[in-house]
PDB file of all heavy atoms in Angstrom:
ATOM      1  N   VAL A 213      56.336 -25.404 116.288  1.00 94.00           N
ATOM      2  CA  VAL A 213      55.984 -26.259 117.418  1.00 94.00           C
ATOM      3  C   VAL A 213      54.880 -25.729 118.317  1.00 94.00           C
ATOM      4  O   VAL A 213      54.335 -26.499 119.131  1.00 94.00           O
ATOM      5  CB  VAL A 213      57.232 -26.561 118.286  1.00 94.00           C
ATOM      6  CG1 VAL A 213      58.320 -27.193 117.455  1.00 94.00           C
ATOM      7  CG2 VAL A 213      57.755 -25.318 118.988  1.00 94.00           C
ATOM      8  N   LEU A 214      54.523 -24.454 118.224  1.00 94.00           N
ATOM      9  CA  LEU A 214      53.518 -23.909 119.131  1.00 94.00           C
ATOM     10  C   LEU A 214      52.125 -23.906 118.512  1.00 94.00           C
ATOM     11  O   LEU A 214      51.970 -23.636 117.320  1.00 94.00           O
ATOM     12  CB  LEU A 214      53.883 -22.483 119.556  1.00 94.00           C
ATOM     13  CG  LEU A 214      55.138 -22.294 120.398  1.00 94.00           C
ATOM     14  CD1 LEU A 214      55.289 -20.836 120.809  1.00 94.00           C
ATOM     15  CD2 LEU A 214      55.128 -23.197 121.633  1.00 94.00           C
ATOM     16  N   GLU A 215      51.132 -24.179 119.340  1.00 92.00           N
ATOM     17  CA  GLU A 215      49.737 -24.094 118.925  1.00 92.00           C
ATOM     18  C   GLU A 215      49.232 -22.666 119.164  1.00 92.00           C
ATOM     19  O   GLU A 215      49.704 -21.973 120.074  1.00 92.00           O
ATOM     20  CB  GLU A 215      48.882 -25.073 119.739  1.00 92.00           C
ATOM     21  CG  GLU A 215      49.331 -26.521 119.674  1.00 92.00           C
ATOM     22  CD  GLU A 215      48.986 -27.170 118.350  1.00 92.00           C
ATOM     23  OE1 GLU A 215      48.217 -26.556 117.577  1.00 92.00           O
ATOM     24  OE2 GLU A 215      49.484 -28.287 118.093  1.00 92.00           O
ATOM     25  N   GLU A 216      48.255 -22.258 118.367  1.00 92.00           N
ATOM     26  CA  GLU A 216      47.693 -20.909 118.545  1.00 92.00           C
ATOM     27  C   GLU A 216      47.067 -20.746 119.936  1.00 92.00           C
ATOM     28  O   GLU A 216      47.168 -19.681 120.549  1.00 92.00           O
ATOM     29  CB  GLU A 216      46.647 -20.629 117.453  1.00 92.00           C
ATOM     30  CG  GLU A 216      47.232 -20.435 116.067  1.00 92.00           C
ATOM     31  CD  GLU A 216      48.257 -19.300 116.011  1.00 92.00           C
ATOM     32  OE1 GLU A 216      48.016 -18.249 116.641  1.00 92.00           O
ATOM     33  OE2 GLU A 216      49.299 -19.476 115.364  1.00 92.00           O
ATOM     34  N   ASP A 217      46.416 -21.798 120.446  1.00 93.00           N
ATOM     35  CA  ASP A 217      45.813 -21.735 121.780  1.00 93.00           C
ATOM     36  C   ASP A 217      46.871 -21.475 122.849  1.00 93.00           C
ATOM     37  O   ASP A 217      46.631 -20.746 123.818  1.00 93.00           O
ATOM     38  CB  ASP A 217      45.074 -23.046 122.092  1.00 93.00           C
ATOM     39  CG  ASP A 217      43.806 -23.202 121.274  1.00 93.00           C
ATOM     40  OD1 ASP A 217      43.378 -22.187 120.677  1.00 93.00           O
ATOM     41  OD2 ASP A 217      43.256 -24.303 121.228  1.00 93.00           O
ATOM     42  N   GLU A 218      48.046 -22.098 122.683  1.00 94.00           N
ATOM     43  CA  GLU A 218      49.124 -21.896 123.646  1.00 94.00           C
ATOM     44  C   GLU A 218      49.602 -20.441 123.625  1.00 94.00           C
ATOM     45  O   GLU A 218      49.845 -19.838 124.669  1.00 94.00           O
ATOM     46  CB  GLU A 218      50.294 -22.829 123.326  1.00 94.00           C
ATOM     47  CG  GLU A 218      50.022 -24.289 123.638  1.00 94.00           C
ATOM     48  CD  GLU A 218      51.159 -25.197 123.227  1.00 94.00           C
ATOM     49  OE1 GLU A 218      51.787 -24.948 122.179  1.00 94.00           O
ATOM     50  OE2 GLU A 218      51.430 -26.173 123.955  1.00 94.00           O
ATOM     51  N   LYS A 219      49.740 -19.888 122.436  1.00 94.00           N
ATOM     52  CA  LYS A 219      50.187 -18.502 122.313  1.00 94.00           C
ATOM     53  C   LYS A 219      49.182 -17.547 122.948  1.00 94.00           C
ATOM     54  O   LYS A 219      49.559 -16.533 123.532  1.00 94.00           O
ATOM     55  CB  LYS A 219      50.392 -18.130 120.836  1.00 94.00           C
ATOM     56  CG  LYS A 219      51.541 -18.847 120.164  1.00 94.00           C
ATOM     57  CD  LYS A 219      51.657 -18.380 118.714  1.00 94.00           C
ATOM     58  CE  LYS A 219      52.703 -19.149 117.961  1.00 94.00           C
ATOM     59  NZ  LYS A 219      52.793 -18.708 116.548  1.00 94.00           N
ATOM     60  N   GLU A 220      47.895 -17.865 122.845  1.00 93.00           N
ATOM     61  CA  GLU A 220      46.870 -17.007 123.438  1.00 93.00           C
ATOM     62  C   GLU A 220      46.904 -17.094 124.963  1.00 93.00           C
ATOM     63  O   GLU A 220      46.842 -16.079 125.660  1.00 93.00           O
ATOM     64  CB  GLU A 220      45.481 -17.416 122.923  1.00 93.00           C
ATOM     65  CG  GLU A 220      45.210 -17.046 121.480  1.00 93.00           C
ATOM     66  CD  GLU A 220      45.045 -15.556 121.275  1.00 93.00           C
ATOM     67  OE1 GLU A 220      44.756 -14.834 122.244  1.00 93.00           O
ATOM     68  OE2 GLU A 220      45.219 -15.098 120.125  1.00 93.00           O
ATOM     69  N   LEU A 221      46.992 -18.302 125.470  1.00 95.00           N
ATOM     70  CA  LEU A 221      46.925 -18.517 126.906  1.00 95.00           C
ATOM     71  C   LEU A 221      48.201 -18.056 127.609  1.00 95.00           C
ATOM     72  O   LEU A 221      48.171 -17.624 128.762  1.00 95.00           O
ATOM     73  CB  LEU A 221      46.669 -20.008 127.196  1.00 95.00           C
ATOM     74  CG  LEU A 221      46.365 -20.415 128.631  1.00 95.00           C
ATOM     75  CD1 LEU A 221      45.141 -19.687 129.153  1.00 95.00           C
ATOM     76  CD2 LEU A 221      46.156 -21.924 128.713  1.00 95.00           C
ATOM     77  N   GLY A 222      49.316 -18.125 126.912  1.00 95.00           N
ATOM     78  CA  GLY A 222      50.610 -17.785 127.489  1.00 95.00           C
ATOM     79  C   GLY A 222      51.502 -19.004 127.537  1.00 95.00           C
ATOM     80  O   GLY A 222      51.152 -20.013 128.169  1.00 95.00           O
ATOM     81  N   VAL A 223      52.640 -18.953 126.858  1.00 96.00           N
ATOM     82  CA  VAL A 223      53.536 -20.106 126.791  1.00 96.00           C
ATOM     83  C   VAL A 223      54.969 -19.619 126.679  1.00 96.00           C
ATOM     84  O   VAL A 223      55.241 -18.546 126.134  1.00 96.00           O
ATOM     85  CB  VAL A 223      53.164 -21.017 125.585  1.00 96.00           C
ATOM     86  CG1 VAL A 223      53.442 -20.317 124.252  1.00 96.00           C
ATOM     87  CG2 VAL A 223      53.901 -22.351 125.648  1.00 96.00           C
ATOM     88  N   PHE A 238      55.244 -16.049 124.757  1.00 95.00           N
ATOM     89  CA  PHE A 238      54.079 -15.577 124.008  1.00 95.00           C
ATOM     90  C   PHE A 238      52.921 -15.375 124.969  1.00 95.00           C
ATOM     91  O   PHE A 238      52.701 -16.157 125.893  1.00 95.00           O
ATOM     92  CB  PHE A 238      53.664 -16.597 122.942  1.00 95.00           C
ATOM     93  CG  PHE A 238      54.608 -16.678 121.773  1.00 95.00           C
ATOM     94  CD1 PHE A 238      55.782 -17.411 121.866  1.00 95.00           C
ATOM     95  CD2 PHE A 238      54.322 -16.028 120.582  1.00 95.00           C
ATOM     96  CE1 PHE A 238      56.655 -17.484 120.793  1.00 95.00           C
ATOM     97  CE2 PHE A 238      55.191 -16.098 119.510  1.00 95.00           C
ATOM     98  CZ  PHE A 238      56.364 -16.828 119.619  1.00 95.00           C
ATOM     99  N   LEU A 239      52.146 -14.316 124.710  1.00 93.00           N
ATOM    100  CA  LEU A 239      50.968 -14.005 125.520  1.00 93.00           C
ATOM    101  C   LEU A 239      49.960 -13.284 124.631  1.00 93.00           C
ATOM    102  O   LEU A 239      50.345 -12.428 123.830  1.00 93.00           O
ATOM    103  CB  LEU A 239      51.369 -13.127 126.702  1.00 93.00           C
ATOM    104  CG  LEU A 239      50.324 -12.862 127.778  1.00 93.00           C
ATOM    105  CD1 LEU A 239      49.958 -14.154 128.497  1.00 93.00           C
ATOM    106  CD2 LEU A 239      50.840 -11.838 128.778  1.00 93.00           C
ATOM    107  N   ASN A 240      48.702 -13.671 124.745  1.00 91.00           N
ATOM    108  CA  ASN A 240      47.645 -13.073 123.919  1.00 91.00           C
ATOM    109  C   ASN A 240      47.983 -13.132 122.432  1.00 91.00           C
ATOM    110  O   ASN A 240      47.725 -12.203 121.670  1.00 91.00           O
ATOM    111  CB  ASN A 240      47.395 -11.621 124.338  1.00 91.00           C
ATOM    112  CG  ASN A 240      46.935 -11.507 125.775  1.00 91.00           C
ATOM    113  OD1 ASN A 240      46.213 -12.374 126.266  1.00 91.00           O
ATOM    114  ND2 ASN A 240      47.364 -10.462 126.472  1.00 91.00           N
ATOM    115  N   ALA A 340      49.864 -21.959 129.644  1.00 94.00           N
ATOM    116  CA  ALA A 340      50.088 -23.192 128.885  1.00 94.00           C
ATOM    117  C   ALA A 340      51.414 -23.842 129.249  1.00 94.00           C
ATOM    118  O   ALA A 340      51.747 -24.902 128.719  1.00 94.00           O
ATOM    119  CB  ALA A 340      50.039 -22.908 127.381  1.00 94.00           C
ATOM    120  N   ILE A 342      55.481 -24.650 129.672  1.00 96.00           N
ATOM    121  CA  ILE A 342      56.757 -24.605 128.965  1.00 96.00           C
ATOM    122  C   ILE A 342      56.741 -25.607 127.811  1.00 96.00           C
ATOM    123  O   ILE A 342      56.240 -26.721 127.964  1.00 96.00           O
ATOM    124  CB  ILE A 342      57.928 -24.953 129.906  1.00 96.00           C
ATOM    125  CG1 ILE A 342      57.865 -24.137 131.194  1.00 96.00           C
ATOM    126  CG2 ILE A 342      59.274 -24.801 129.203  1.00 96.00           C
ATOM    127  CD1 ILE A 342      58.272 -22.708 131.083  1.00 96.00           C
ATOM    128  N   VAL A 343      57.294 -25.210 126.671  1.00 96.00           N
ATOM    129  CA  VAL A 343      57.507 -26.134 125.550  1.00 96.00           C
ATOM    130  C   VAL A 343      58.998 -26.196 125.287  1.00 96.00           C
ATOM    131  O   VAL A 343      59.633 -25.185 124.969  1.00 96.00           O
ATOM    132  CB  VAL A 343      56.759 -25.687 124.281  1.00 96.00           C
ATOM    133  CG1 VAL A 343      57.074 -26.620 123.123  1.00 96.00           C
ATOM    134  CG2 VAL A 343      55.255 -25.660 124.529  1.00 96.00           C
ATOM    135  N   ARG A 367      56.012 -29.774 127.970  1.00 95.00           N
ATOM    136  CA  ARG A 367      55.899 -30.776 126.908  1.00 95.00           C
ATOM    137  C   ARG A 367      57.058 -30.630 125.937  1.00 95.00           C
ATOM    138  O   ARG A 367      57.724 -29.588 125.881  1.00 95.00           O
ATOM    139  CB  ARG A 367      54.561 -30.671 126.164  1.00 95.00           C
ATOM    140  CG  ARG A 367      54.445 -29.504 125.201  1.00 95.00           C
ATOM    141  CD  ARG A 367      53.186 -29.634 124.346  1.00 95.00           C
ATOM    142  NE  ARG A 367      53.002 -28.498 123.436  1.00 95.00           N
ATOM    143  CZ  ARG A 367      53.517 -28.432 122.210  1.00 95.00           C
ATOM    144  NH1 ARG A 367      54.271 -29.403 121.747  1.00 95.00           N
ATOM    145  NH2 ARG A 367      53.269 -27.363 121.448  1.00 95.00           N
ATOM    146  N   ARG A 372      54.961 -30.600 113.456  1.00 81.00           N
ATOM    147  CA  ARG A 372      53.852 -31.487 113.124  1.00 81.00           C
ATOM    148  C   ARG A 372      53.141 -30.973 111.880  1.00 81.00           C
ATOM    149  O   ARG A 372      53.349 -29.846 111.445  1.00 81.00           O
ATOM    150  CB  ARG A 372      52.870 -31.578 114.287  1.00 81.00           C
ATOM    151  CG  ARG A 372      53.397 -32.380 115.465  1.00 81.00           C
ATOM    152  CD  ARG A 372      52.448 -32.357 116.627  1.00 81.00           C
ATOM    153  NE  ARG A 372      52.362 -31.025 117.240  1.00 81.00           N
ATOM    154  CZ  ARG A 372      51.607 -30.744 118.281  1.00 81.00           C
ATOM    155  NH1 ARG A 372      50.849 -31.675 118.808  1.00 81.00           N
ATOM    156  NH2 ARG A 372      51.583 -29.536 118.777  1.00 81.00           N
TER     157      ARG A 372
END
Side-chain angles (χ1 to χ4, degrees):
V213 303
L214 295 184
E215 304 285 349
E216 289 303 319
D217 289 346
E218 288 176 323
K219 292 181 185 179
E220 288 289 340
L221 189 58
V223 67
F238 288 80
L239 189 65
N240 299 325
I342 310 285
V343 176
R367 75 170 178 88
R372 288 176 291 180

